C-alpha cells in the first residue's frame, strides 16, 4: 500500500535501519535519514500523498494522538519493530499535562526541524538525591499497557538532576539522541513548529524515566487516538502549513 513517496520513504528507512547496528551507528543513520526525508519539498509531497489516503490511514490513525508533552503526534510510516516516522506539530502556548517533564525514550531517536524553532535542555542525574545543587524532581517510571493504552506512571521517589546542555534548533537543524538521554524540549517561537521525528526500534526499553518538578502526576494519563477522519484532516492541515512555509 502506498504511492510513490510512501514507497520511497519506506525503502529508505528499511535500507538504513532494518539491520543490526550498534546504538551509536543507529543514531547517526537515523539522523541522516530524517534530514533527507524532512526537507520541506519532500515532506510536503509525502504528507500530501498520505492525506489523500495512501499508506495505511486506519492503522496510522490508531497510533496518532495529542501527546501529554504538548504537541500533536501523527504517524506517517509504520516500520513495525524497526522504526516509526512521525510528524510532530508543536503549538506555542498550549498547556498539557507533563509539558515541563524531563524524560528519555525507549529507543534511539532523531528529529529534523522542518519549520519554527525548538529549545532543548539535556540533563544528567546526580549521584544521590541529597547531593547539593541541581534540580529537585520526582521520578516516575512510565510504561504502556498496549499500543493505544494509557500512559501509566509509577512514582519511585525523589531525584536530583543537573543541567548539562542548552540548545536551540531552528528550521533545517537535526538532532539525535541515544535512548537513555534525559532531555526536555519545547516550542520556542510564537508560530507553530513542525518536526519530523524518527523513532528506531533497536533494543526498545520497557519503560521510560520521567522527572517532574511540577508536583505529583496522576497514576495514568489517557492516550486517545485520532479517528481516521481527524487523522486525514490533520495531515491536510500539515500539508497546508508546509506549503505556506
Amino acid at each position: 500500500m502506498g504511492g510513490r513517496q510512501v514507497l520511497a520513504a519506506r525503502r529508505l528507512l528499511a535500507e538504513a535501519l532494518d539491520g543490526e547496528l550498534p546504538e551509536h551507528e543507529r543514531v547517526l543513520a537515523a539522523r541522516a535519514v530524517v534530514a533527507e526525508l524532512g526537507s520541506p519539498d519532500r515532506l510536503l509531497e509525502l504528507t500530501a500523498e498520505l492525506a489523500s489516503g495512501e499508506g495505511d490511514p486506519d492503522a496510522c490513525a490508531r497510533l496518532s494522538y495529542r501527546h501529554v508533552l504538548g504537541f500533536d503526534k501523527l504517524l506517517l510510516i509504520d516500520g513495525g519493530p524497526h522504526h516509526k516516522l512521525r510528524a510532530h506539530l508543536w503549538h506555542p502556548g498550549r498547556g498539557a499535562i507533563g509539558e515541563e517533564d524531563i524524560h528519555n525514550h525507549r529507543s534511539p531517536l532523531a528529529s529534523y526541524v522542518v519549520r519554527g524553532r525548538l529549545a532543548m535542555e539535556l540533563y544528567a542525574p546526580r549521584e544521590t538525591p541529597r547531593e547539593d545543587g541541581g534540580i529537585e524532581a520526582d521520578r516516575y517510571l512510565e510504561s504502556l499497557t498496549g499500543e493505544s493504552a494509557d500512559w501509566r506512571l509509577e512514582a519511585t521517589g525523589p531525584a536530583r538532576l543537573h543541567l548539562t546542555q542548552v540548545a536551540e534548533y531552528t528550521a533545517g537543524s537535526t538532532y539525535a539522541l541515544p535512548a537513555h538521554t534525559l532531555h526536555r524540549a519545547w516550542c520556542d517561537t510564537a508560530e507553530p513548529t513542525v518536526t519530523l521525528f524518527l523513532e528506531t526500534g533497536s533494543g526498545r526499553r520497557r519503560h521510560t524515566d520521567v522527572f517532574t518538578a511540577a508536583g505529583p502526576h496522576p497514576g495514568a494519563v489517557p492516550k486517545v487516538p485520532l479517528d481516521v477522519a481527524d487523522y486525514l484532516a490533520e495531515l491536510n492541515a500539515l500539508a497546508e502549513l508546509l506549503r505556506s512555509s
Side-chain angles (χ1 to χ4, degrees), residues 158-207:
R160 190 177 292 272
L161 306 174
H162 67 274
L163 180 67
T164 61
Q165 182 178 323
V166 178
E168 180 181 271
Y169 296 96
T170 57
S173 301
T174 60
Y175 64 86
L177 300 174
H180 287 83
T181 306
L182 293 172
H183 62 285
R184 183 172 78 91
W186 66 95
C187 179
D188 190 32
T189 176
E191 299 298 323
T193 289
V194 176
T195 58
L196 188 64
F197 184 89
L198 177 55
E199 168 191 321
T200 71
S202 177
R204 288 178 63 84
R205 304 164 61 210
R206 298 187 65 178
H207 71 269

Side-chain angles (χ1 to χ4, degrees), residues 22-32 108-110 176-179 200:
E23 186 177 50
H24 70 281
E25 292 183 18
R26 182 169 290 275
V27 167
L28 292 175
R31 185 170 186 167
L109 64 95
L177 300 174
T200 71

